[in-house]
Amino acid sequence: MIIEIIRWVFNLIQYYEYAIVVYILMSWLPGARESGLGRFLGKIVEPYLGMFRFIPPIAMIDFSPIVAIIALNFARSGLLHLVNLFL
């Protein structure tokens, strides 16, 4: 039971990373973020990305999504470590 929940959380984190990547790629397409999918992804992704917006853009490139994805990977690695520690 616990293993299934952990697997579900791992998959949820992976899908969230995909959502971040798709949302960022949508910024390259004019009007894509104003579409239904863009607004939906914005509602899901922007609150999380907002925590990393303190990082200033360098040469007009926003590195906050990269840092956000790295933070998700650290969280997933920490969860895996806890699972290995207790199971």
Side-chain angles (χ1 to χ4, degrees):
M1 174 75 175
I2 297 293
I3 299 298
E4 291 300 321
I5 293 172
I6 293 168
R7 187 174 298 144
W8 185 79
V9 170
F10 270 41
N11 288 336
L12 186 65
I13 292 171
Q14 186 68 45
Y15 294 142
Y16 197 72
E17 288 177 9
Y18 291 153
I20 291 172
V21 170
V22 169
Y23 185 70
I24 297 308
L25 291 176
M26 290 178 95
S27 69
W28 295 355
L29 303 170
R33 285 192 176 172
E34 285 78 31
S35 68
L37 177 63
R39 286 192 305 270
F40 174 72
L41 286 177
K43 288 179 184 177
I44 293 173
V45 171
E46 275 300 328
Y48 179 67
L49 288 179
M51 295 188 310
F52 298 94
R53 295 282 188 217
F54 66 90
I55 301 168
I58 300 172
M60 304 267 307
I61 299 174
D62 186 13
F63 287 100
S64 59
I66 296 169
V67 176
I69 290 173
I70 290 171
L72 282 175
N73 283 325
F74 277 137
R76 188 172 33 187
S77 296
L79 183 61
L80 179 64
H81 181 70
L82 287 175
V83 167
N84 288 333
L85 187 66
F86 291 115
L87 294 181

